[in-house]
Amino acid sequence: MSQPAIRVHGATQRFGARTIFRDVDFEVATGEVFVILGGSGCGKSTLMRQLIGLLPPSAGDIEVLGVRITGPGRDGALEGLRRRIGVMFQSGALLGSMTLLENVMLPLEMFTPLPPEAREAVARVKLGLVGLGDAAELMPAEISGGMAKRAGIARALALDPPLLFLDEPSAGLDPITSAGLDRLILSLRDDLGATFVVVTHELASILAIADRCIMLDRGAYPDAGGLIATGVPRQLREESTDPRVRAFFRREALPEAAA
């Protein structure tokens, strides 16, 4: 049995006197699409920032690709890990002064000794993987929101990482574009064997792509948010007895007693 891609135990995040979430435990299996879901403000993106090393947790242990990124030695662990993960931020986070090709080449310039012609060749391959082979010379201002998301994924793929994080990949997209992006994520998982961790509250995408998920909720504890469900999305939709989980998956208003 392969080692989990991610292990999280007791993850907690506080900002001053406010606790965003506490005591979050889960594992992500190698090769799966794992979704972090929940309503707005529950801490989904905060948890992802912990997982990619941008935010040290207030408490808890996190292990990514066999590397412990909490506690003593954290900075050194992260230095070696950054080449092994890819991240697509919510807006795509493309640099507006660079073409799509130059954006995708950027990680190669930062982390590899490849000569310019090799970096360009690799970047063109990655753009081709996400269906943007003919758009390499376009600027971010010249493309649609869906294309920007795809370009962000291409950049995340630049170093061939075994683990990719996608923050709200379907946010702001129309249903057809969103469905195309879902298919792209699944095809990349199948073709590359990569593990995906996706942060989203888009129900259609969750049901389309997730092998498993966790659900965070702001009211998991009297004084903090936290984890309220773990499992296969369709099973949670049909079998969960938690009114918050049922309301989320069935797009229903939360009963007043559970609100």
Side-chain angles (χ1 to χ4, degrees):
M1 187 173 180
S2 62
Q3 177 179 338
I6 297 174
R7 286 192 178 104
V8 177
H9 178 68
T12 298
Q13 191 60 54
R14 302 183 188 94
F15 295 116
R18 183 187 176 206
T19 302
I20 307 301
F21 55 76
R22 65 178 174 89
D23 300 329
V24 172
D25 296 335
F26 64 92
E27 292 187 353
V28 178
T30 298
E32 74 175 341
V33 176
F34 186 89
V35 171
I36 301 171
L37 61 91
S40 298
C42 68
K44 301 185 300 296
S45 293
T46 299
L47 178 57
M48 193 187 88
R49 289 171 64 201
Q50 289 184 349
L51 298 177
I52 64 179
L54 289 180
L55 181 66
S58 303
D61 287 312
I62 298 175
E63 187 178 290
V64 178
L65 298 178
V67 178
R68 186 169 181 256
I69 61 170
T70 47
R74 178 177 182 274
D75 290 343
L78 286 171
E79 187 66 29
L81 186 64
R82 286 196 173 105
R83 288 191 55 172
R84 301 173 62 203
I85 65 174
V87 183
M88 190 214 79
F89 294 100
Q90 191 168 144
S91 64
L94 301 175
L95 298 177
S97 61
M98 294 181 172
T99 65
L100 301 191
L101 180 65
E102 290 168 338
N103 267 278
V104 178
M105 288 173 62
L106 192 57
L108 298 164
E109 294 172 10
M110 294 175 63
F111 293 108
T112 77
L114 293 173
E117 60 273 16
R119 295 197 298 262
E120 179 176 338
V122 171
R124 289 188 182 279
V125 168
K126 303 308 179 186
L127 286 168
L129 282 175
V130 301
L132 293 176
D134 295 331
E137 309 304 331
L138 295 179
M139 305 296 288
E142 299 175 313
I143 63 176
S144 67
M147 292 173 71
K149 302 274 186 160
R150 287 173 176 264
I153 293 174
R155 187 173 60 188
L157 289 168
L159 298 173
D160 294 320
L163 175 60
L164 292 104
F165 295 89
L166 310 181
D167 190 7
E168 298 285 5
S170 299
L173 301 181
D174 66 81
I176 294 175
T177 303
S178 179
L181 194 59
D182 291 341
R183 287 194 298 272
L184 172 64
I185 292 168
L186 292 175
S187 68
L188 291 173
R189 187 272 310 271
D190 294 341
D191 294 343
L192 304 178
T195 303
F196 282 83
V197 176
V198 182
V199 172
T200 185
H201 62 266
E202 301 286 344
L203 183 57
S205 289
I206 292 165
L207 295 173
I209 67 174
D211 294 307
R212 290 189 307 122
C213 67
I214 58 172
M215 182 172 176
L216 303 180
D217 187 79
R218 289 183 294 176
Y221 299 98
D223 61 339
L227 181 63
I228 62 169
T230 303
V232 177
R234 293 185 184 278
Q235 290 180 344
L236 291 177
R237 183 181 64 178
E238 300 301 326
E239 301 173 11
S240 177
T241 58
D242 188 314
R244 297 163 298 183
V245 177
R246 293 174 64 87
F248 182 93
F249 279 102
R250 300 183 182 199
R251 300 186 70 220
E252 298 172 347
L254 194 63
E256 279 190 29

